[in-house]
Amino acid sequence: MSSACLIGLLSPLLGHGLLRLSASLFAENGTIEVAQAWLLVMGTAVFLAAYRRAADAKALFCVSMALLSLLALQREIPACESAFYDQGLCLPRTAKLPLSGAAILAAGLLALLKRPRWRSFLDPRNLAWVWPVGVAALLLGLAEAAEHFLHQEMEETMEFGAYAYLLSFAIWVARTPSAGARD
């Protein structure tokens, strides 16, 4: 939690400092967005690895987080038709919806493969260990607010921090034995 607070507090300073070093860091498909995409790819992979070892609520949580990471990745990849798109990787707007649908379908199938006890979600102990996702969501909310106020450098820095925080949480989840997590 303290690392998330640190990210939230330092993002404006770090963002402004990086902007002064090089504005290209924050350009569409710039360095920071490429780094965000890699964090999301790694987070997806780690959550899927954790899913393989988990059962019930933990497995469903892991597959849900892998799906959300993929959807965030798709959001970070610009549309080729965008006026802001400059160069690098892009997706046509017409491909984004089918890819989202395929990811949702795959996540649903993976969730069903585990044959979870759906009632396991009602146990409060299964919700207590997922609070770091709320911290990452808060950082993403702050990033959206920064974007609204046209502070792109703060937005991108907070998104980077949120994705890094989510990846570190994914690693923790993957390393935590399933038996100790009240599956």
Side-chain angles (χ1 to χ4, degrees), residues 74-88:
Q74 180 179 297
R75 182 185 171 278
E76 291 298 331
I77 298 173
C80 300
E81 305 85 4
S82 171
F84 300 105
Y85 173 67
D86 190 7
Q87 63 179 346

Side-chain angles (χ1 to χ4, degrees), residues 126-146:
N126 285 330
L127 298 176
W129 60 272
V130 300
W131 64 266
V133 174
V135 174
L138 176 65
L139 287 172
L140 289 172
L142 291 171
E144 285 299 313

Side-chain angles (χ1 to χ4, degrees), residues 90-115:
C90 67
L91 280 174
R93 281 194 177 105
T94 56
K96 288 194 172 206
L97 185 60
L99 287 174
S100 294
I104 291 168
L105 180 63
L109 291 173
L110 286 174
L112 291 174
L113 282 175
K114 287 288 186 168
R115 298 179 189 239

